[in-house]
Amino acid sequence: QVQLVESGGGLVQPGGSLRLSCAASGVSLDYYVIGWFRQAPGKEREGLSCISRSDSSTYYSDSVKGRFTISRDNAVNTVDLEMNSLEPADTAEYYCAAVLSLFPAHAVCGSTSMEYWGKGISVTVAS
């Protein structure tokens, strides 16, 4: 059974940084596209970034491009999201998700494509 567990969330001041980590168990992430999503209160879930193992491609939404960086460590089965220049608008529940796919990251980086989800972790950006 695939389990995804997020860590690294919390409270940060505007302009600050956080690093989220997604740890997978029950499966090797070798052939999975892994993504980070977020959902703010009253808003729809938003795809932020995905990374593919098959071609090492990455995808970023316009809202985080240039500020967030996704990376994966296959040796320890984790995918991290480094978040810089955080803004109050980044406040949300953040989720990692996975789908078995050999397609490039941009092709499957949507919430309806994902097969497995973590429970989410809270990120609050406030002074």
Side-chain angles (χ1 to χ4, degrees):
Q1 185 177 356
V2 178
Q3 288 191 324
L4 303 174
V5 179
E6 302 93 343
S7 62
L11 172 65
V12 64
Q13 292 187 340
S17 300
L18 277 177
R19 188 178 184 91
L20 303 182
S21 185
C22 175
S25 61
V27 68
S28 169
L29 296 179
D30 281 3
Y31 300 103
Y32 283 77
V33 171
I34 310 299
W36 282 96
F37 298 77
R38 70 184 178 191
Q39 188 166 19
K43 295 188 176 182
E44 293 187 355
R45 189 168 293 185
E46 174 189 9
L48 303 178
S49 182
C50 288
I51 187 166
S52 168
R53 161 69 168 175
S54 61
D55 64 353
S56 300
S57 64
T58 57
Y59 163 83
Y60 296 94
S61 68
D62 288 342
S63 62
V64 304
K65 195 176 298 181
R67 300 190 298 127
F68 292 10
T69 303
I70 194 169
S71 61
R72 63 193 300 163
D73 187 337
N74 295 313
V76 294
N77 231 23
T78 59
V79 173
D80 290 355
L81 186 70
E82 180 72 27
M83 307 187 295
N84 298 314
S85 302
L86 285 164
E87 306 163 353
D90 295 314
T91 296
E93 192 79 2
Y94 283 69
Y95 302 86
C96 71
V99 60
L100 183 64
S101 176
L102 297 180
F103 286 110
H106 71 85
V108 293
C109 200
S111 58
T112 57
S113 300
M114 295 295 158
E115 296 178 276
Y116 304 103
W117 291 86
K119 293 183 178 179
I121 193 164
S122 179
V123 171
T124 301
V125 184
S127 54

